[in-house]
């Protein structure tokens, strides 16, 4: 398995893939480790999580540089990702004991009844390359804190990140068999889903991969959590502050080089502010600095692989062929590296590729609507349901619309983002289940009801 720098196209390193026997040994080691790890106090497990956060802070520049080399993330954003992982560790180190504490439920006067949150065993995580540290840490940290052990199948183009995550957790004191990275292919990962020793599986990735994992896990009556794609609407109402909204819109579309499931992708703009918004949006997109992601001044780096450039260009071309206006960009950049020019599409037909599919790169599709009702109808006219945002000068109006979005993450006057304190996940073809917060840490636990009767057989004993 090789990692390749998408900016220079140089091969960074090669990694040996494990043999079938080594994979078997890893699963067996995880299963053997689980009882001991689960038996530790949550406070002890959280102490190691807290130490992992400290190590992330100490190795900030090292890990940020690694991400930038392996998948092209601008260096400033890469540092922010490492810092966010450290925050996640701090959050669960502080809150997991309370989130996993027994929940006493009042039932009968002569009984003590409660819900206990107990770990289930080895959990397999199939993770993507676009946020190569964050996606893994938001799986690993709550599950390790809960008492589960983890097996990671990371994306094949970020093996260095997979190994680094192993290192930081092991250096923090997490036993090697409690968290293991397996540099295996997708076929091997599919086989792991069916292994009896794997008690749960979580996937962040494409809709197709999610369906395959859900089908296999379902056939084994095994819990799964799926965080899939998105085509998030960014709704600009007639009372929105246009200049400030356009400024944020650029970040919402181009963060991580546009390669984010929760990036704004469909910009739905009220006709009263449409021209002003499109003009401001165009100006700011055109002013972005595209180039070497190692440079502090760069806003947009290369896409993670050359094939992703081709896929995005096919979508943009198909959208223009369907009748959209190409206002900016619209083609791969004539330079070394997997670069695609920041692109603005207007007059986009509602059945065009950029309207119905997830676009994974710096390409924005803009739609004009006559009123609030049409904006909401178009926002929900998608098979996806991950995130959505609305921009308005009236917060009550914004909250009312947010409640009507068909999505898992709904924001008013803020672009969609993940936060350890709030549950993260979607509806419809964007998947099911939740990560983060108390909701996420309780996905892979046994919610066990315990009834302790005071007295036996009605004899009045205590």
């Amino acid at each position: 398995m090789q990692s390749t720098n998408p900016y220079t196209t140089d091969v960074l390193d090669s990694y040996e893939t494990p043999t079938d026997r080594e994979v078997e040994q890893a699963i067996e080691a995880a299963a053997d480790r689980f009882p001991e790890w689960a038996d530790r106090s949550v406070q002890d497990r959280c102490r190691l999580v807290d130490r992992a956060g400290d190590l992330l802070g100490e190795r900030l520049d090292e890990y940020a540089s690694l991400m930038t080399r392996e998948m092209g993330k601008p260096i400033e954003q890469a540092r922010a990702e490492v810092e966010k992982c450290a925050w996640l560790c701090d959050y669960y180190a502080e809150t997991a004991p309370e989130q996993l504490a027994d929940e006493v439920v009042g039932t009968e006067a002569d009984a003590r009844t409660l819900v206990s949150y107990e770990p289930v065993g080895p959990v397999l995580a199939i993770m993507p390359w676009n946020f190569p540290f964050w996606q893994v840490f938001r799986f690993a940290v709550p599950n390790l804190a809960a008492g589960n052990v983890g097996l990671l199948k990371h994306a094949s183009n970020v093996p260095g990140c997979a190994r680094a995550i192993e290192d930081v957790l092991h250096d923090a004191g997490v036993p090697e068999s409690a968290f293991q990275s397996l540099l295996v292919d997708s076929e091997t990962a599919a086989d792991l889903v069916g292994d009896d020793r794997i008690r749960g599986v979580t996937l962040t990735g494409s809709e197709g991969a999610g369906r395959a994992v859900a089908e296999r896990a379902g056939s084994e009556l095994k819990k799964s959590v799926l965080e899939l794609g998105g085509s998030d609407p960014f709704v600009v109402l007639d009372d929105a502050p246009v200049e400030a909204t356009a400024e944020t819109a650029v970040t919402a579309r181009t963060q991580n080089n546009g390669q984010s499931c929760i990036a704004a992708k469909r910009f739905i703009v009220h006709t009263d502010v449409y021209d002003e918004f499109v003009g401001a949006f165009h100006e700011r997109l055109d002013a972005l600095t595209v180039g070497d992601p190692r440079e502090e001044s760069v806003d947009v780096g290369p896409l993670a692989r050359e094939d992703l450039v081709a896929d995005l260009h096919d979508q943009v071309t198909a959208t223009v062929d369907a009748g959209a206006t190409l206002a900016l960009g619209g083609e791969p950049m004539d330079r070394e590296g997997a670069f695609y020019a920041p692109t603005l599409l207007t007059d986009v037909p509602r059945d065009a590729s950029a309207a119905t599919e997830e676009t994974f790169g710096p390409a924005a599709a803009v739609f004009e609507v006559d009123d609030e009702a049409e904006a909401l109808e178009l926002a929900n006219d998608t098979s996806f349901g991950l995130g959505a945002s609305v921009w308005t000068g009236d917060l009550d109006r914004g909250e009312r619309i947010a409640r009507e979005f068909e999505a898992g993450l709904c924001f008013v006057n803020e672009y969609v983002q993940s936060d350890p304190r709030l549950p993260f996940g979607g509806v419809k073809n964007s998947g099911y289940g939740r990560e983060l917060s108390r909701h996420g840490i309780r996905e892979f636990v046994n919610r066990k009801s315990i009834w302790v009767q005071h007295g036996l057989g009605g004899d009045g004993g205590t």
Side-chain angles (χ1 to χ4, degrees), residues 213 249 326 334 353 360 383 391 412 418 455:
V213 165
L326 180 61
D334 185 17
S353 180
F360 226 57
S383 64
W391 301 79
V412 180
S418 56

Side-chain angles (χ1 to χ4, degrees), residues 15-18 59 63 66 70 133 152 154 158-170 179-184:
Y15 300 80
E16 288 190 14
T17 55
R59 302 172 185 179
Y63 292 154
L66 174 60
E70 282 204 317
F133 268 65
L152 168 66
H154 214 335
V158 289
C161 291
R163 287 287 186 246
I165 293 166
E166 254 191 337
D167 289 344
V168 74
L169 290 172
H170 296 165
F179 182 86
Q180 300 172 79
S181 174
L182 302 177
L183 299 182
V184 297

Side-chain angles (χ1 to χ4, degrees), residues 237-368:
L237 297 180
D238 55 317
D239 60 351
V242 173
E243 289 292 329
T245 300
E247 184 76 33
T248 306
V250 173
T251 301
R253 174 61 280 204
T254 63
Q255 62 176 325
N256 204 42
N257 307 332
Q259 301 166 122
S260 172
C261 54
I262 54 172
K265 300 182 177 78
R266 296 178 299 130
F267 295 82
I268 300 168
V269 186
H270 193 285
T271 187
D272 288 355
V273 294
Y274 179 83
D275 290 340
E276 183 183 358
F277 175 84
V278 170
F281 195 27
H282 181 287
E283 179 182 353
R284 287 162 172 78
L285 281 172
D286 196 33
L288 291 171
T289 301
V290 181
D292 184 346
R294 297 170 296 183
E295 297 291 335
E296 299 286 345
S297 61
V298 165
D299 302 304
V300 178
L303 301 192
R305 301 190 309 264
E306 287 286 354
D307 62 296
L308 298 171
V309 174
D311 290 345
L312 181 60
H313 190 52
D314 286 346
Q315 291 174 308
V316 170
T317 300
T319 300
V320 173
D321 290 345
T325 299
L326 180 61
L328 180 69
E331 59 186 4
M333 299 183 74
D334 185 17
R335 59 187 299 171
E336 185 177 23
F339 285 94
Y340 199 85
T343 296
L344 179 60
L345 298 162
T346 60
D347 308 312
V348 178
R350 295 193 182 190
D351 59 352
S353 180
T356 61
E357 302 170 8
E358 179 175 34
T359 51
F360 226 57
V366 185
F367 305 80
E368 184 175 4

Side-chain angles (χ1 to χ4, degrees), residues 200-254:
V201 58
T202 180
L203 175 140
T204 298
S206 69
E207 180 185 340
R211 290 183 183 276
V213 165
E215 182 177 3
R216 185 65 188 273
S219 70
E220 302 289 338
L221 299 180
K222 189 172 297 185
K223 177 69 179 287
S224 62
V225 169
L226 303 178
E227 195 274 278
L228 309 179
S231 184
D232 288 9
F234 185 107
V235 176
V236 183
L237 297 180
D238 55 317
D239 60 351
V242 173
E243 289 292 329
T245 300
E247 184 76 33
T248 306
V250 173
T251 301
R253 174 61 280 204
T254 63

